[in-house]
Amino acid sequence: MIFRTTASLCVALLFLLPAGAFAQIRGEARVSGKVVDDKGQPLADVAVTATKTGEREPLTTKSNKKGEWTLNRIAAGEWALEFTKEGFEPQRGTVKVDEQSIIQKVDVTLAPKAADPNVELQAELKRAEPMMKASQFVEARKVYEDLLAKYPSVVQLNRFIAATYAGEKNYAKATEHLRLILEKEPENLETKLLLADLLIEGGNSEEGLGMLRSADLTQVKDPYPFINGAITLIRENKPDEAITILTSLLAQFPNQADIYYYRGRAYIAAKKLPEGKADLEKFVATAPPDARELGDAKKILEQLKDVKQPS
């Protein structure tokens, strides 16, 4: 906030005017001044409000085309001044007026309000959506990188950049950008799980699975990084660990049918055929008709038709 007197004195929140600073006009003081923008240009129609301490009714006026304003009938005492105009940051200060005041101007500078970055961010993210859907990853990445250069504090933009690299199967670059988020937000579980998923997809199953093991499943909202991790464990001939993960996942997502499918596959890989058959039957009974695993599950069940259910 910048308040300037004609003597170029800058005052922050409280400016005290000495005795004789305002002239009494018929027993009342007068405060006047000028409002300009940050480039020194006069501002018209600035609302000026003065409220005396202990009083509820304010005195009001507006600046003219030259930015000039005047408030009359100012009695002795402390007055709170406020200068407001749409599109500008308001300015506030306190004036102390005594009985012997003379007229002296109080000049004010109003700075334009900063643009809301969220408006531009949302508009640009929306513009990039069709690019991602059309696999135009280079073009979409340029949008995200330009935003990040302009708003470096919005670290989550790295997630969108990572998505473009993941679309190109460049998992090294994708994980690099997700790590940048975790440097700033180390407890961001959603980003951790996405990073784990991409690490596994990119061939670094050891680190990726380690991140999944350390996650608090009660806080997880998306089961698929864990399902993908379990698939990797089955491929690595670690079905028992896959069963453990999927069993814990079912406690959090009891209506997620495909978890039964993959746990059934894990049981079969672990030579626990009755348990595997039971899970696959549960999957077939609850899965949507268009589930991609449905055909495979039915074929396996046909092969297991003579296996007895677990007691």
Side-chain angles (χ1 to χ4, degrees), residues 267 272-279 281 307-311:
Y267 274 129
K272 298 177 181 180
L273 302 186
E275 291 85 350
K277 180 181 179 182
D279 269 1
E281 287 177 340
V307 173
K308 294 182 179 181
Q309 293 283 14
S311 56

Side-chain angles (χ1 to χ4, degrees), residues 219-257:
Q219 302 301 314
V220 171
K221 297 179 180 179
D222 180 3
Y224 286 102
F226 293 89
I227 291 175
N228 291 339
I231 293 171
T232 298
L233 287 168
I234 295 170
R235 289 173 180 168
E236 293 181 353
N237 198 28
K238 299 176 182 177
D240 290 328
E241 187 173 353
I243 292 166
T244 299
I245 288 177
L246 293 168
T247 300
S248 298
L249 203 60
L250 274 172
Q252 183 74 358
F253 302 93
N255 298 319
Q256 189 82 27

Side-chain angles (χ1 to χ4, degrees), residues 52-64:
K52 190 172 184 292
T53 300
E55 300 290 337
R56 299 179 63 181
E57 294 297 325
L59 301 178
T60 61
T61 188
K62 283 190 176 184
S63 61
N64 60 23

Side-chain angles (χ1 to χ4, degrees), residues 18-95:
F22 285 86
Q24 284 189 338
I25 302 176
R26 299 176 183 174
E28 296 181 341
R30 180 169 59 134
V31 181
S32 62
K34 185 176 182 178
V35 188
V36 297
D37 63 18
D38 59 341
K39 297 179 181 178
Q41 297 301 308
L43 285 176
D45 296 321
V46 175
V48 184
T49 304
T51 307
K52 190 172 184 292
T53 300
E55 300 290 337
R56 299 179 63 181
E57 294 297 325
L59 301 178
T60 61
T61 188
K62 283 190 176 184
S63 61
N64 60 23
K65 293 181 179 180
K66 296 180 180 180
E68 298 168 343
W69 58 274
T70 300
L71 281 170
N72 296 307
R73 307 198 322 268
I74 300 294
E78 188 175 79
W79 290 80
L81 293 182
E82 183 177 38
F83 301 82
T84 58
K85 181 178 174 66
E86 187 175 354
F88 290 83
E89 297 288 348
Q91 296 284 23
R92 299 176 181 86
T94 305
V95 175

Side-chain angles (χ1 to χ4, degrees), residues 250 254-261 263 275-287 294 301 309:
L250 274 172
N255 298 319
Q256 189 82 27
D258 49 353
I259 299 177
Y260 285 100
Y261 169 78
R263 193 175 68 169
E275 291 85 350
K277 180 181 179 182
D279 269 1
L280 291 176
E281 287 177 340
K282 175 75 172 179
F283 169 71
V284 170
T286 58
L294 200 54
L301 284 172
Q309 293 283 14

